[in-house]
């Protein structure tokens, strides 16, 4: 029923009371990439996987995000994936 009402709202042929709808991100969107850490020894480097959340659960759509990778001077790979939904507590249920 909500889709019919929204369609009538968008149409010029019907006059309906205004209501606001917003799209939201259902699943969190994450970015994973590797970062080299320098240790005390000159020859050994350790690799750390960094995970950043681009869009949290229920963030509005159409947001611009800028990611800066200022420690990377060479080509590298990053992965964009969906995160896990937050699990409600037993008290909330």
């Amino acid at each position: 029923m909500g889709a019919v009402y929204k369609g009538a709202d968008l149409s010029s042929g019907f006059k309906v009371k205004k209501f606001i709808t917003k799209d939201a991100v259902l699943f969190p969107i994450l970015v994973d990439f590797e970062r080299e850490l320098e240790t005390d020894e000159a020859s050994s480097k350790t690799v750390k996987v960094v995970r950043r959340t681009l869009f949290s659960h229920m963030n509005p759509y159409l947001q611009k995000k800028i990611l800066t990778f200022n420690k990377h001077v060479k080509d590298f790979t990053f992965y964009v994936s969906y995160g896990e939904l937050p699990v409600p507590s037993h008290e909330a249920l």
Side-chain angles (χ1 to χ4, degrees), residues 41-92:
E41 301 171 12
S43 63
S44 69
K45 291 184 180 182
T46 58
V47 176
K48 178 182 176 185
V49 176
V50 179
R51 174 172 279 185
R52 300 273 187 240
T53 303
L54 275 182
F55 300 103
S56 299
H57 175 65
M58 295 308 289
N59 268 13
Y61 264 130
L62 300 176
Q63 288 184 356
K64 291 183 181 180
K65 292 285 183 163
I66 298 174
L67 297 175
T68 56
F69 300 99
N70 49 0
K71 302 263 179 173
H72 292 278
V73 293
K74 298 178 184 176
D75 290 343
F76 68 100
T77 303
F78 64 93
Y79 302 97
V80 179
S81 61
Y82 289 116
E84 295 293 324
L85 283 175
V87 178
S89 63
H90 290 289
E91 292 84 24

